[in-house]
Amino acid sequence: MRKIVLGLLLASSAAKGMNPADTTITVFTTAENTKLRLTETGKLHFKPSKQPMETEVCIFVDPAKSFQTLTGIGGALTDASAETFAKLPKDRQQELLQAYYNPVKGIGYTLARTNIQSCDFSSDTYSYVAEHDSLLKTFSVQHDQQYRIPFIKAAIAAAGGKLTLFVSPWSPPSWMKDNNNVLQGGKLLPKYYQAWANFFVKFIRTYEALGIPVWGLSVQNEPMAKQKWESCIYTAEEERDFIKGYLGPTLQKQGMSSKKLIAWDHNRDLVFQRASTILEDPAAAKYVWGIGYHWYETWTGSDMQFGNVQKVKESFPAKNLLFTEGCIESFKRDRINEWFIGERYGYSMVNDFNSGTVAWTDWNILLDENGGPNHVGNFCFAPVHADTKTGELIYTNAYYYLGHFSKFIRPGAKRVISSSNRTQLQTTAFLNKDGKLAVVVLNLTDKEIPYQLWIKGKAAPTVSLPHSIATLVVE
């Protein structure tokens, strides 16, 4: 099938007896000021097309030019998401799980992240060990048994029994740190480097014994941010040395060398400096699967710095890039239907994938009517909110923007060239293992833009609606 479709896409006169004109393009659209939400909006067909004029708007795709392989797309299963989920009626719980994890009736998430110990999106701070238990004899995830573990298991089941999960700490226990506090930054004391490395192993083993497979782990969430919530500072050199001297060897000795170790896990602004410091050291680099990053560099007034991500890929092509967290901050209930929310996701995802990213992880998949719970008042938006008083689920347009990628671009898909001749239309494209080509077209303008999908001398005319995202599935 894949060879047939490729033959069609490459516009050969016949591919195993099939006519290129028979290739069908199904268009799915989400657009502002319409009722279109991941809605099938038409079928297109290719026709022969000579050299386009420069006056013609085109999206050019070349499926023969392929790049990174997609690991997955998904969101974080935090304490806040789990606690909110538990307050929903059973039918709404099932609706949410289907909406996120069913690839036919929902958007088919295949990737997840969860926190090791508490984070800001927990109802309070907590630890898995007693004070000064460096041997971890008191280690217990009993706290997580109430909400989070059942929630993660329900998500795995809804995803068909398999969900690629990575785990991240926000802070070591307070007594392991120089500020004796899980909040407000501080640093891991060198005398506890080994105990903290052992802590990762203990957590992974415990979760896996409970039926939750762990695919990977990041070293530290946001290691350059001193936050009023759980946080811990590592310089690039400190993270490098912790990886090569403790965490990497410990994972290897404990039979966990297959776990994907992710460094950085912070914003794009410093991503190259961090990656180069760690990956230029062979003793550290051998343990690192990839570099994770977030999108919050915009707090400085900067735009999203995709070029820095691309520079990491260019400099270290053997390593992977993983978007580990992003959300719209400063929750306000009266803004929940504003269109900018989804557009930020679309803008980031198109450009992150074009920069070489293999996986993309949203932050909380579900929050309550206040943008929480959050024990420090850091309330944020999620793609779906629950009104815990009425049991209602509220889908923001971010849910649909995410679905334009996750539903149609599946694990194992290869990114292929997709190029626009107008900045008003942004695009990325992936060729799935089943031979279906998914081309995403993003329009952030107020204008309706007619354009052609053009592949090797064949073109199909269509229209991009104002403030819209469309996925064109070619098969």
Side-chain angles (χ1 to χ4, degrees):
M1 179 63 184
R2 182 174 178 179
K3 290 182 179 179
I4 293 173
V5 176
L6 269 172
L8 293 171
L9 296 176
L10 294 174
S12 60
S13 59
K16 295 192 177 180
M18 296 179 68
N19 188 333
D22 293 334
T23 301
T24 300
I25 308 162
T26 307
V27 184
F28 299 86
T29 305
T30 295
E32 188 179 24
N33 299 322
T34 72
K35 293 182 179 180
L36 302 177
R37 299 293 183 270
L38 269 174
T39 306
E40 184 178 331
T41 51
K43 302 277 190 183
L44 311 176
H45 295 279
F46 285 116
K47 294 181 180 179
S49 175
K50 296 181 180 179
Q51 170 67 52
M53 302 297 291
E54 61 183 8
T55 54
E56 296 177 277
V57 182
C58 293
I59 298 294
F60 300 102
V61 179
D62 188 348
K65 305 294 190 298
S66 63
F67 302 92
Q68 78 269 24
T69 300
L70 184 78
T71 298
I73 298 169
L77 305 172
T78 59
D79 289 317
S81 294
E83 291 169 30
T84 303
F85 181 80
K87 294 176 183 176
L88 288 171
K90 294 296 183 185
D91 60 337
R92 293 300 192 190
Q93 290 181 345
Q94 291 308 307
E95 177 190 331
L96 183 87
L97 292 171
Q98 178 175 277
Y100 270 119
Y101 295 104
N102 188 298
V104 178
K105 297 180 179 179
I107 61 173
Y109 269 10
T110 55
L111 180 68
R113 182 193 192 201
T114 200
N115 45 294
I116 299 175
Q117 304 201 116
S118 60
C119 66
D120 50 331
F121 280 91
S122 303
S123 292
D124 202 352
T125 60
Y126 62 87
S127 180
Y128 299 137
V129 295
E131 287 278 311
H132 304 296
D133 177 16
S134 59
L135 297 179
L136 312 182
K137 291 181 178 180
T138 60
F139 188 95
S140 170
V141 295
Q142 183 177 356
H143 172 278
D144 301 357
Q145 294 275 19
Q146 185 176 7
Y147 297 117
R148 185 148 53 105
I149 287 171
F151 181 49
I152 295 173
K153 287 184 174 181
I156 293 171
K162 181 183 178 183
L163 190 60
T164 300
L165 175 71
F166 68 99
V167 299
S168 305
W170 267 243
S171 175
S174 59
W175 49 271
M176 287 190 182
K177 297 171 66 182
D178 62 3
N179 67 343
N180 197 35
N181 191 349
V182 295
L183 314 179
Q184 298 290 340
K187 291 191 175 188
L188 176 65
L189 292 166
K191 68 179 179 179
Y192 290 121
Y193 275 17
Q194 187 58 58
W196 184 229
N198 294 342
F199 199 105
F200 284 87
V201 172
K202 197 81 169 178
F203 177 83
I204 292 169
R205 283 213 173 118
T206 302
Y207 259 52
E208 293 196 327
L210 293 168
I212 300 175
V214 174
W215 167 83
L217 64 156
S218 68
V219 179
Q220 169 64 42
N221 178 72
E222 299 187 346
M224 285 304 295
K226 177 184 177 181
Q227 305 283 22
K228 62 182 179 181
W229 54 84
E230 290 85 338
S231 45
C232 184
I233 304 296
Y234 290 79
T235 66
E237 292 78 12
E238 287 166 343
E239 185 176 8
R240 176 198 65 198
D241 293 347
F242 178 61
I243 289 170
K244 74 177 180 180
Y246 298 89
L247 185 54
T250 299
L251 292 170
Q252 189 171 62
K253 289 173 186 175
Q254 296 299 321
M256 293 187 180
S257 57
S258 64
K259 304 301 181 189
K260 308 301 189 268
L261 184 58
I262 301 158
W264 186 224
D265 200 0
H266 203 168
N267 296 331
R268 299 185 189 95
D269 50 2
L270 296 177
V271 67
F272 182 80
Q273 180 263 344
R274 180 68 53 136
S276 61
T277 301
I278 294 171
L279 298 180
E280 287 173 2
D281 185 329
K286 68 180 181 180
Y287 296 114
V288 177
W289 176 83
I291 301 295
Y293 64 95
H294 300 182
W295 74 13
Y296 308 112
E297 68 270 16
T298 54
W299 73 270
T300 64
S302 168
D303 192 5
M304 294 183 181
Q305 295 180 296
F306 304 112
N308 289 345
V309 176
Q310 191 169 10
K311 287 177 175 66
V312 173
K313 188 61 183 173
E314 290 170 349
S315 301
F316 306 99
K319 299 300 182 181
N320 298 283
L321 289 164
L322 172 66
F323 183 90
T324 47
E325 183 187 318
C327 75
I328 306 295
E329 299 171 278
S330 304
F331 178 81
K332 291 182 175 58
R333 179 70 181 263
D334 61 358
R335 303 191 72 188
I336 204 165
N337 293 315
E338 292 191 18
W339 206 253
F340 80 94
I341 296 173
E343 288 195 327
R344 182 165 179 178
Y345 280 84
Y347 176 64
S348 181
M349 294 178 82
V350 163
N351 288 281
D352 287 332
F353 286 130
N354 287 344
S355 299
T357 295
V358 303
W360 209 95
T361 327
D362 184 31
W363 189 208
N364 306 276
I365 72 165
L366 177 70
L367 291 173
D368 66 17
E369 65 273 18
N370 300 311
N374 185 293
H375 71 87
V376 289
N378 180 36
F379 301 119
C380 295
F381 287 90
V384 183
H385 286 265
D387 187 324
T388 58
K389 298 180 180 66
T390 66
E392 177 190 9
L393 288 175
I394 305 162
Y395 294 81
T396 75
N397 68 328
Y399 168 81
Y400 301 101
Y401 270 74
L402 279 154
H404 273 276
F405 299 86
S406 61
K407 187 177 180 71
F408 304 107
I409 303 169
R410 307 300 294 164
K414 287 269 191 184
R415 184 175 69 87
V416 300
I417 282 294
S418 184
S419 171
S420 173
N421 67 346
R422 297 290 190 277
T423 57
Q424 290 87 346
L425 294 182
Q426 299 184 37
T427 181
T428 193
F430 283 77
L431 184 64
N432 287 290
K433 291 195 294 183
D434 64 2
K436 292 181 181 180
L437 175 71
V439 183
V440 179
V441 179
L442 181 68
N443 181 352
L444 301 177
T445 77
D446 297 327
K447 296 180 180 179
E448 181 176 289
I449 304 175
Y451 71 97
Q452 297 183 85
L453 176 63
W454 196 97
I455 302 177
K456 296 291 187 180
K458 305 289 179 181
T462 187
V463 175
S464 174
L465 297 177
H467 292 285
S468 71
I469 185 169
T471 305
L472 288 70
V473 179
V474 185
E475 55 183 316

